[in-house]
Amino acid sequence: MPLSTARSNVRVVTLKIDGRDLSAREDETLLEVCREHRIPVPSLCYLEGLSVWAGCRLCMVELVNQNRLVASCATRAAEGMEVQTDSERLRRYRRTLIELLFAERNHVCAVCVSNGHCELQTLAQRLGIDHIRFAYRQAHEVLDSSHELFRLDHNRCILCTRCVRVCDEIEGAHVWDVMGRGSQCRIISDLAIPWGQSETCTNCGKCVQVCPTGALIKQGTSAGEMVKDRHFLPILARRRAR
Amino acid sequence: MHLEDLEALAARYHAEETHEQEIRVCVAASCQSSGSLPVLEALQSACAGQGNGRCKVKGVGCMGLCSAGPLVAVAKRHAPLNESVLYRAVTPQDAAEILASSGGAPVERLRCPTDQPFFQRQVRIVLERSGLIDPESLPEAIAHGGYSALIQAITEMTPAEVIREVTASGLRGRGGAGYPTGLKWSTVAKMPGAQKYVICNADEGDPGAFMDRAVLESDPHRVLEGMAIAAYAIGASKGYVYVRAEYPLAVARLETAIRAARRAGFLGARVADTPFGFDIELRLGAGAFVCGEETALMASIEGLRGQPRPRPPYPAESGLWGCPTLINNVETFANIASIVRRGSDWFASIGTQGSKGTKVFALAGRIKNTGLIEVPMGISLRTIIEEIGGGIPDGKGFKAVQTGGPSGGCIPADYLDTPVDYDSLKSLGTIMGSGGMIVMDETACMVDVARFFMEFCMSESCGKCVPCRTGTWQMHALLDRIARGEGTPEDLALLEELCEVVQSMSLCGLGQTAPNPVLSTLRYFRHEYEAKLQNQPLRKPQTQRGTG
């Protein structure tokens, strides 16, 4: 469930984000407040309408007068809070995280169907990443083309689990889950069977639309052709909340 | 049941025992692995053959000096370990000789002196019954004061009084972070909610650490009693012990103990015939280190994938199935009965200003006396290593001691006089941790040590958050390159930068502390890293195009 569901007895607080005085309901997260006011905070696992995962760590922000960073997607607004969403330190950390993601699997933008429409690529460009300082893992990842409509390319997966959550929380099918530990983690359909053999998949394609990269795509798309449309999600999530 | 009834029960158990001498054979995991079960059988059949009832042979819990196992103690009934005749490395062939010597002249060739610092410098609270009683016998636990603190708490104290005692004792969490136990208890107690839970974290997983295993194998009732007192104090009716499946003996003894405690009325709907109800179930871990992290542990109990979630909300507010939950470590619970029975003043008189009581450590690595020790807080590392541990074997010199497992760090020789308490160890860049202490001699390579712990963190990362999942992989690759002598100054710089990112950006404690072994070895042994770097001029950066 999204953290902010309309409740009647909730208080409204005022806080400062990047020096701007803002008001927020106290059950809203910092990231929700930032999105509302178009303050750009990068994120790859957060998606409006899905539960909070707090795994990509890109939306970490500084709490002024506190030495620690917090994930803005998992931190609620509080009275008198002072938040800094951008700093030299945060930019450096975020760049490192994006580089780590590029080095983890085999992201080759030139041949990717999502080239030009990829959230990972966009963030890399926005953060000014022009090379990767880390050794590439050169992992042997597989491609699951068994589904008649869609395709899963593990080479491009960043394990954000948006697909897992949308399938479970919105579609209610729970086809996807995560198997393994650490860098051995894999997104699996049902009990690690080919997607095409899944008896739970409803062919709805929500997972494909929410996937931030070219990991989940439509069959028959070519480089740069996969444009995703996820405006359905907040609308569906709102209806479900009622 | 009142305290007098329990005392009468204990007196009856005492009266039923008529033997003068008892022969105690350690049947905890480490002595079993060096062959103590055949020794126990040989002694039992030899004793049965004698058949005069003067002597009783029994299996007991850990006596501490695991490196000398199998250990056998011959003592007067109920005499403490210090007053017993201790034998080391006993074989079944020695049984007749040991039996014949009981009460008379000891068998000198097997003797392990108990007047050495290893035994004399210890202060036993958590381990007070360990090595004395049969861990599978509830009557023996009761005869040695077991469950008297629980009866005292529920019949003579209010929950608030129990919490006050625990708070005043100054007890801090023994799982590693050292959060004040009384504060945690009172937070959960004040939370509204009809259903609350108590969880005992027995998912001990640090390399080289086996304190919790020894406590559970030697005196499981002590932990159950602590949990029941906690449940009474915070208003919980249900408890779980989350114990790793790699501890089959601890699991079996816990099961026996829970069954016996239920039958005797110390657990169940009406604990000791009072309106207070509390029951305990076991949950076995499936081998993931991260399940020792409290939110991952609770997810695992709920049947979900063992992965941490962001805190807040803390378990005290929203824990197991969303209910207020108290989660403490085995050793923390094992301290509770003594605090209730002997009072917070007594407990607070042991230890230092900020760290009260004792701490159990598992001594391992390059040290003469490996095994389990319990020492008062504030004792110096030098006393532990040189006196209790007997120093470094083979005439080698001491190099460093690692505390806190993969979340901790290494302490070099210059800081050996540091008192062992939460705050002093933290200032040295390590942590108290759960109690693993790995001693290294002068031949140890500190880059290898850092690589070992990083490999551990890499393979134990759950994979949920990016910095821990991929950062530990990259740090391990960099450490591996440096350890093989192929690293460059840029590699070292990159490693240090990754340490900072993983520490600040990771989701849970596992990731946030994963760089500690690297940071602490860099702090004290930077020259070892630098000596391994290639002194070639700046090589072309090994980069590949990431986008496009």
Side-chain angles (χ1 to χ4, degrees), chain B residues 96 113 123 130 137 147 176 180 470-471 482 514:
Chain B
V123 175
S130 174
S137 159
Y147 291 103
T470 70
I482 295 171

Side-chain angles (χ1 to χ4, degrees), chain B residues 95 202 305 383 393 433 455 496:
Chain B
R305 193 175 146 84
T383 312
E455 186 177 359
E496 290 192 271

Side-chain angles (χ1 to χ4, degrees), chain A residues 52-58 60 68-69 74 89-90 92-94 96-97 100-104 107-110 121 124-125 129-138 158-159 177-183 185, chain B residues 286-290 305 307-308 310-312 314 458-467 469-471 473-474 477-478 481 494 497-498 500-502 504-508 512 541-548:
Chain A
V52 168
W53 182 243
C56 75
R57 316 307 284 169
L58 286 163
M60 298 281 276
R68 106 203 137 82
L69 307 175
R89 180 187 178 202
L90 283 172
R92 189 157 52 87
Y93 288 179
R94 286 169 184 161
T96 306
L97 291 185
L100 285 170
L101 280 175
F102 271 109
E104 187 182 27
H107 298 274
V108 186
C109 300
Q121 187 187 37
Q125 287 162 344
I129 293 169
D130 53 7
H131 69 279
I132 309 297
R133 294 169 296 163
F134 302 107
Y136 276 68
R137 276 186 64 229
Q138 316 278 15
I158 57 167
L159 294 168
D177 217 317
V178 184
M179 179 180 91
R181 243 173 14 212
S183 279
C185 278
Chain B
F289 177 71
V290 74
R305 193 175 146 84
Q307 277 182 331
R311 298 179 305 178
Y314 287 91
M458 174 183 75
S459 51
E460 293 299 341
S461 165
C462 74
K464 178 171 178 174
C465 78
V466 176
R469 182 181 76 224
T470 70
W473 191 92
Q474 292 288 352
L478 288 165
R481 201 146 69 215
L494 203 53
E497 195 186 323
L498 268 180
E500 191 190 334
V501 174
V502 173
S504 326
M505 300 290 266
S506 290
L507 172 62
C508 80
Q512 287 160 7
Q542 199 195 35
T543 58
Q544 296 170 31
R545 302 293 292 181
T547 53

Side-chain angles (χ1 to χ4, degrees), chain A residues 174-229:
Chain A
H174 202 126
V175 174
W176 300 112
D177 217 317
V178 184
M179 179 180 91
R181 243 173 14 212
S183 279
Q184 307 299 317
C185 278
R186 293 286 171 279
I187 297 290
I188 52 166
S189 42
D190 288 352
L191 294 171
I193 57 168
W195 192 1
Q197 291 169 25
S198 165
E199 290 177 2
T200 52
C201 179
T202 62
N203 303 339
C204 75
K206 289 189 179 65
C207 53
V208 174
Q209 299 302 339
V210 299
C211 175
T213 68
L216 284 165
I217 50 175
K218 276 189 195 156
Q219 294 274 23
T221 44
S222 180
E225 290 180 358
M226 184 70 221
V227 183
K228 300 194 174 176
D229 174 12

Side-chain angles (χ1 to χ4, degrees), chain B residues 1-19:
Chain B
M1 187 186 274
H2 290 277
L3 213 46
E4 296 77 37
D5 304 323
L6 190 75
E7 279 160 8
L9 199 60
R12 212 184 76 209
Y13 290 136
H14 272 292
E16 279 171 6
E17 301 206 312
T18 52
H19 59 277

